[in-house]
């Protein structure tokens, strides 16, 4: 009897592109910032108000990272020269992922609390 080739015990090779994408979106607060920006341009203070626990320092850091990745961009000048931020085409392409994550979180609410 030939030996069966059973690879269920071995994890599949993770694609480097997948890993990079998961690290970008999975950084603490990044997905929340993207989620808030899904509805259109949003100001710094609006993001802070919408994401409990997010400090100004970390928000600046995340916005810069997301800008470098081409996911968000600054637009216009508001009061005191403060820009708004909006998702780029690359960022908007994450909408389905972010919404599906929300659906998953809602379905497993008790276990996630």
């Amino acid at each position: 009897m030939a030996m069966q080739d059973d690879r269920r015990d071995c994890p599949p090779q993770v694609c480097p592109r997948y890993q990079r994408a998961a690290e970008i979106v999975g950084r603490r607060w990044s997905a929340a910032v993207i989620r808030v920006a899904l509805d259109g341009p949003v100001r710094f203070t609006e993001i802070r108000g919408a994401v409990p626990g997010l400090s100004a320092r970390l928000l600046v850091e995340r916005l810069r990272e997301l800008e470098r990745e081409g996911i968000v961009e600054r637009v216009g000048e508001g009061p005191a020269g403060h820009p708004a931020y909006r998702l780029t085409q690359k960022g908007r392409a994450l909408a389905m992922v972010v919404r599906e994550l929300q659906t998953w979180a809602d379905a497993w609410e008790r276990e996630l609390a």
Side-chain angles (χ1 to χ4, degrees):
M1 183 163 146
M3 216 178 194
Q4 184 180 4
D5 185 19
D6 188 353
R7 297 176 189 241
R8 287 180 287 189
D9 295 335
C10 299
Q13 176 106 14
V14 175
C15 169
R17 290 184 311 276
Y18 172 85
Q19 184 62 32
R20 176 84 173 108
E23 289 172 2
I24 292 167
V25 177
R27 274 194 76 112
R28 188 162 192 194
W29 308 114
S30 291
V33 171
I34 294 166
R35 172 64 187 89
V36 172
L38 282 178
D39 296 328
V42 62
R43 302 218 179 277
F44 184 92
T45 55
E46 294 171 319
I47 298 170
R48 273 209 63 211
V51 184
L54 176 57
S55 71
R57 181 185 64 80
L58 281 172
L59 178 53
V60 167
E61 193 176 302
R62 289 304 169 264
L63 285 169
R64 286 181 182 159
E65 289 171 357
L66 293 170
E67 280 184 280
R68 278 193 304 271
E69 295 295 340
I71 293 171
V72 299
E73 63 187 352
R74 295 179 199 210
V75 292
E77 293 291 325
H82 296 272
Y85 296 87
R86 73 174 171 205
L87 295 175
T88 62
Q89 180 179 358
K90 183 178 179 181
R92 287 189 306 274
L94 289 167
M96 184 176 69
V97 173
V98 173
R99 288 190 176 114
E100 284 298 317
L101 185 58
Q102 181 67 59
T103 299
W104 178 83
D106 291 343
W108 293 95
E109 179 180 8
R110 287 194 173 118
E111 287 81 358
L112 295 172

